[in-house]
């Protein structure tokens, strides 16, 4: 039975209007974005299929158009609509770290980095520059590499920190392989950056590794 044939008030749209978005399941919320189902399946069924295919909402929200279309019944129009929502979410999270936002809590940064860095097939090294009050004064991609390696030069990072008049920095890079554990090279690089920046009184607050739709913190691991 299609959603349009459901009893009045039971469809996802009507339910959202009557009870609020929080009352809907993830599959029902996805159904509103998808709008229609396909032969033999309602939009909610498709939403459930997507969640099952990706293993959960987190991985789904990191998918690109090509990956979304791998789900049976999700054509170009539906995958484009989903990707637009994902991009809006990514931009909303990015606003949380726009210049002058205070980063006393790492939650928004972690969520933004997870969405921003988990959707690329090459390794990207990102720097976030902060002032003495932990407010963002800038963010830059410091290096882009291959699937397995990237080159980051401490001298160049120090130059960028001085350019932004930063008092502290947060680093992040992705592991396209999905592995969350820091490599020995990651630890050596972090220590080299920390020592170089200390010479100009810039603190390294954290280094995140993004992989498998999660973000691992060096600081939480006691590695900084």
């Amino acid at each position: 039975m299609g959603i349009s044939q459901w009893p009045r008030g039971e469809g996802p749209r009507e339910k959202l209007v009557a009870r609020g978005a929080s009352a809907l399941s993830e599959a029902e919320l996805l159904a509103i974005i998808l709008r229609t189902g396909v032969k033999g399946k309602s939009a909610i069924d498709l939403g459930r299929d997507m969640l099952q295919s990706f293993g959960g909402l987190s991985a789904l929200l990191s998918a690109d158009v090509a990956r979304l279309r791998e789900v049976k019944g999700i054509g170009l129009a539906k995958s484009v609509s989903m990707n637009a929502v994902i991009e809006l979410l990514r931009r909303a999270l990015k606003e949380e770290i726009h210049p002058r936002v205070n980063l006393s809590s790492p939650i928004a940064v972690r969520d933004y980095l997870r969405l921003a860095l988990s959707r690329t097939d090459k390794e990207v090294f990102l720097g976030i520059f902060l002032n003495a009050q932990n407010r963002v004064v800038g963010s830059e991609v410091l290096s882009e590499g291959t699937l397995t390696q990237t080159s980051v030069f401490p001298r160049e990072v120090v130059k960028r920190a001085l350019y932004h008049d930063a008092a502290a920095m947060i680093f992040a890079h992705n592991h396209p392989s999905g592995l969350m554990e820091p490599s020995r090279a990651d630890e050596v690089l972090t220590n080299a950056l920390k020592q170089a920046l200390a010479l100009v009184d810039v603190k390294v607050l954290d280094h995140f590794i993004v992989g498998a739709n999660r973000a691992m913190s060096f600081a939480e691991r006691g590695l900084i």
Side-chain angles (χ1 to χ4, degrees):
M1 180 185 294
I3 294 176
S4 62
Q5 298 174 291
W6 288 15
R8 183 182 297 274
E10 291 300 317
R13 294 184 185 87
E14 293 83 359
K15 189 175 177 181
L16 186 149
V17 172
R19 308 180 197 175
S22 62
L24 276 65
S25 68
E26 292 171 353
E28 288 173 323
L29 291 170
L30 288 171
I32 293 176
I33 299 170
L34 297 173
R35 298 184 63 185
T36 61
V38 295
K39 186 175 181 180
K41 288 190 175 183
S42 69
I44 292 180
D45 292 330
L46 286 180
R48 292 193 186 105
D49 288 349
M50 294 179 76
L51 291 168
Q52 183 175 3
S53 176
F54 285 93
L57 189 60
S58 180
L60 173 59
L61 292 179
S62 296
D64 57 17
V65 171
R67 179 66 182 89
L68 290 167
R69 293 188 69 183
E70 292 177 5
V71 180
K72 188 176 181 179
I74 304 300
L76 179 61
K78 286 180 168 57
S79 60
V80 167
S81 294
M82 277 296 306
N83 209 243
V85 172
I86 292 169
E87 179 62 17
L88 285 171
L89 176 59
R90 187 189 69 81
R91 294 185 187 188
L93 289 170
K94 187 174 182 179
E95 287 183 357
E96 297 297 323
I97 64 167
H98 75 276
R100 303 303 169 185
V101 169
N102 189 288
L103 293 184
S104 56
S105 171
I107 295 176
V109 180
R110 188 190 297 268
D111 288 343
Y112 166 68
L113 293 174
R114 181 175 54 79
L115 282 176
L117 296 180
S118 63
R119 300 178 65 194
T120 177
D121 60 357
K122 60 185 176 182
E123 195 163 306
V124 176
F125 196 93
L126 181 71
I128 300 174
F129 305 88
L130 306 102
N131 64 16
Q133 289 74 44
N134 286 345
R135 293 186 179 276
V136 177
V137 293
S139 63
E140 296 181 12
V141 173
L142 300 172
S143 178
E144 294 186 25
T146 64
L147 277 171
T148 58
Q149 63 183 9
T150 187
S151 298
V152 181
F153 300 99
R155 181 177 64 179
E156 296 303 317
V157 175
V158 169
K159 287 182 179 179
R160 300 312 299 165
L162 292 173
Y163 171 82
H164 288 284
D165 195 23
M169 287 193 67
I170 293 173
F171 296 109
H173 77 280
N174 62 313
H175 280 179
S177 65
L179 297 176
M180 294 290 296
E181 291 302 312
S183 66
R184 178 57 183 161
D186 293 334
E187 295 184 29
V188 169
L189 174 60
T190 303
N191 287 329
L193 291 171
K194 183 178 179 180
Q195 292 174 16
L197 288 164
L199 296 175
V200 291
D201 295 323
V202 177
K203 296 180 181 179
V204 176
L205 300 183
D206 209 340
H207 183 171
F208 290 91
I209 293 179
V210 178
N213 305 299
R214 293 177 295 164
M216 189 282 297
S217 162
F218 273 57
E220 291 177 355
R221 290 280 190 92
L223 297 176
I224 289 184

